Every structure is written in C-alpha cells, then in structure tokens.
Amino acid sequence: MAVWDKKILWSFMILLTGAVGQPYTYPGNVTVNYPGPVCAVKGSTVTLHCTFTPHKSFIKDGREYPLRIIRVVWCKNHEICQGSTPSVYDSKSDTNNPRYQYLGDKKGNCTLQIRDIRREDDATFRFRMETNHSAGHYTVTSGVKVTVIDDPQMTIISSRNQSLIREGQTETLLCISSCSFHQLEVTWFRDDHALSESGPALQLGPLTAEDSGNYTCGLKTNSKTRSRLYEVRVEAAEEGESDKVSLIVGVVFGVLLALGALILGFFIFKRKQEADKDQRNVGGDVGQKSPDNLYSNILPHAEPDRLSHPQETGRDVEEISYAAVQFKHKNQARPVEEEEAVIYSSVANRG
C-alpha cells in the first residue's frame, strides 16, 4: 500500500510541475549517458562508465545566472536520488561504502565502480548532479540496470577457432562468460588436472604432443562454473616437411656462399687492375722527365808514399775519357738541334 501511495505522490508532483510551468529557462540541455544493462558475476568487480553534461547557467526574468556543480550522487532503486534518499556514493559524505568507488569528477565524468558484487547490487543505479542553485539540480531517471548471477556457465573459445593444431604452433584459449567477472581468478584444467595459470587467457606454445588433451576452465571461487570440455589435438609435423626445410636452408646457404665468392673475386680483380694502371703511370713519368746534367769526378785514393813525394807527379799519365750519352724520349721525335744531356765522367788513374 505504501508503494502505491509513493507512486501517486510522484505522479501528482509531476502533474503539478507541468501545470505550474518551469520558472527557469536554460541555454543548453543537460544529459547523462549511462551504459547498457550490465550482467555481473557475484564477487567480481564492475565498472559503470558514465558521462554527463550539466547546465552551465539558467535564465530568470531575462537575466542569466551561472551554475557550477557542487555535489554528485549515485543511488540505487530510487527515481531521483533526492534529499535523504540512501545513496551508494555521495561526494559530500565521509561515510561512503568503500565497495563503491567514484572514478569521475564534477565536470563531465560520472563513472562508478562496484567491487565485490553482491546480490544486493542487483538493482538500477542512477546518477544525480546538484549545483550552487536548485535550478541546476538534475537526475536522469533511466539509470543502468545491473544483474547479479551466482553460477555463470563459463565457455572456452580458441584464437584459431580449431581444435587440430600442428607441433610448433601457438594457441590461446579464452575463458569467457555471458556476464562480467573482472578481477576474478580462473582455474584451468587439462584432462581434469589443474594447471598453474589463473588468468582468463591460457597461452599454449610452441605446442608439443604433451599439450594435447581436454581443457576446461571455471571461476576459482565457484566450482559450479566449470565449462564444457574443449579438445586440443596436436598433430606431429610431417617428415617430408622437415626435409623440405633442410633443403631450402641448404639452397639459401649455397646461394649466399656463391654470391660472397663472386663479390670477393670482383674486388680482387679491381684491385689488380688499379695496381697495373699505377705501375704504367709510374713508368711513363720517368720517361718524360728531362735528364739532368750529372757530373761525377772519381779520384782514387792516393797511396801514402806517393803523397809524400809530389815531385814524382810527372811520371803519372793522365787519361781522360769522355762519354756522351743521349737520351731520347720514347714516342717523340726530337730535333737534332735540341740540347743533349751529357754526362761527363773523368777518371784519373795514376800509374
């Protein structure tokens, strides 16, 4: 009976508001964007992503007044979260339940996180904003519906979407549910033996025959959530495939070796060509140079006894030989009149 009285009262207030009319006008629209219905596993963590656009100002009697958010509230199973309505979060309260964490602000983010979901959280949650003037208070009554279940049926899906896999390949198995189970540990089984992994994703690979078997998963806190069997069969690689791989590796190695030898021979040939060219250039330079006049006087060392008797020099017979050598440039016709290079060599022999 009390419930019907409340509904009648709210209906009367709405009709009264429509009859009297809005005393204020607003230059913009206020909005709250809730997520869709949420299914949550008991004991898990759920995040309700939410955004809002508040009234920036209101107009009364032709004058515009600015507004600013001073309070944000989340409540459940209440139409407008007004007054003394029990709330799960109130920015002005110091006694908020720590299971409900407000991740938003007073500017446009109204995200709420619910930890350790319980049966009592199976409800509709609504967000309310309040400003420095009652003209800016607002609640979007649609809210977000949260459904809490105790024993969800887990399901295994494969990244390859096939149960037959060859040795050496990799595989990822995912343990999922129709409901969110964030921050809940998952237990994996192979042939009914528990594995060490505890996350929702099981990484397998490089696969061997030992990875073959029937896999299941379930929530660690609830054995009733075990999934159906998912078979993984690891097929041995064909013998011909290993031979093909060896042949390909050998061919590639041989090609690289031949290419290296070819490059080395090319560099050796180029170095030899450059050396021959340098040698020819040196020979040409020597032939083109004009010989200098060279004078060489070679006097044999006088014997000590003859040096002591200078009067005997008359006995010595001096012989002078003149040798003229003319150098002609190769491939050049030089005139006879051209100055000849002469080398004088004087040899004095003492008898």
Side-chain angles (χ1 to χ4, degrees), residues 82-111:
Q82 188 179 16
S84 59
T85 301
S87 60
V88 297
Y89 175 80
D90 188 339
S91 61
K92 285 192 173 182
S93 174
D94 296 329
T95 59
N96 292 313
N97 190 329
R99 289 200 307 113
Y100 303 96
Q101 297 290 321
Y102 186 66
L103 305 181
D105 50 38
K106 296 178 181 178
K107 296 179 180 180
N109 185 359
C110 50
T111 300

Side-chain angles (χ1 to χ4, degrees), residues 73-236:
V73 179
W74 273 94
C75 65
K76 60 183 179 180
N77 293 336
H78 196 277
E79 292 292 330
I80 57 175
C81 302
Q82 188 179 16
S84 59
T85 301
S87 60
V88 297
Y89 175 80
D90 188 339
S91 61
K92 285 192 173 182
S93 174
D94 296 329
T95 59
N96 292 313
N97 190 329
R99 289 200 307 113
Y100 303 96
Q101 297 290 321
Y102 186 66
L103 305 181
D105 50 38
K106 296 178 181 178
K107 296 179 180 180
N109 185 359
C110 50
T111 300
L112 178 71
Q113 187 178 78
I114 308 174
R115 301 177 181 178
D116 188 20
I117 286 282
R118 302 175 183 177
R119 293 297 307 174
E120 63 194 66
D121 296 318
D122 192 309
T124 299
F125 290 78
R126 294 179 176 89
F127 172 75
R128 178 177 176 81
M129 67 191 83
E130 295 185 358
T131 63
N132 55 331
H133 192 281
S134 60
H137 298 352
Y138 202 84
T139 304
V140 175
T141 58
S142 59
V144 52
K145 181 67 173 72
V146 176
T147 302
V148 180
I149 59 176
D150 296 326
D151 305 321
Q153 182 65 48
M154 310 304 290
T155 304
I156 294 179
I157 62 174
S158 168
S159 60
R160 289 182 174 270
N161 200 25
Q162 58 184 9
S163 59
L164 180 60
I165 312 168
R166 292 187 176 181
E167 282 186 337
Q169 294 181 333
T170 59
E171 175 70 286
T172 301
L173 301 181
L174 299 176
C175 187
I176 64 173
S177 169
S178 58
C179 288
S180 170
F181 58 94
H182 181 58
Q183 292 186 356
L184 284 181
E185 290 188 352
V186 173
T187 302
W188 287 92
F189 301 88
R190 181 177 63 233
D191 296 331
D192 216 27
H193 295 287
L195 303 178
S196 59
E197 289 79 359
S198 61
L202 178 63
Q203 303 287 343
L204 300 175
L207 290 168
T208 64
E210 296 180 355
D211 294 312
S212 297
N214 295 318
Y215 287 78
T216 58
C217 69
L219 295 178
K220 188 175 183 179
T221 56
N222 191 341
S223 60
K224 296 179 181 179
T225 62
R226 286 276 290 270
S227 68
R228 295 180 180 180
L229 296 178
Y230 184 89
E231 183 183 10
V232 174
R233 287 185 297 158
V234 181
E235 185 181 54

Side-chain angles (χ1 to χ4, degrees), residues 31-83:
T31 60
V32 176
N33 298 313
Y34 294 114
V38 175
C39 179
V41 176
K42 184 180 177 180
S44 65
T45 297
V46 171
T47 301
L48 307 180
H49 297 282
C50 170
T51 59
F52 69 97
T53 303
H55 285 307
K56 303 295 184 181
S57 62
F58 70 95
I59 300 173
K60 182 178 181 181
D61 299 331
R63 183 178 177 183
E64 185 173 358
Y65 298 89
L67 294 171
R68 59 183 178 85
I69 300 294
I70 61 172
R71 182 189 181 194
V72 290
V73 179
W74 273 94
C75 65
K76 60 183 179 180
N77 293 336
H78 196 277
E79 292 292 330
I80 57 175
C81 302
Q82 188 179 16

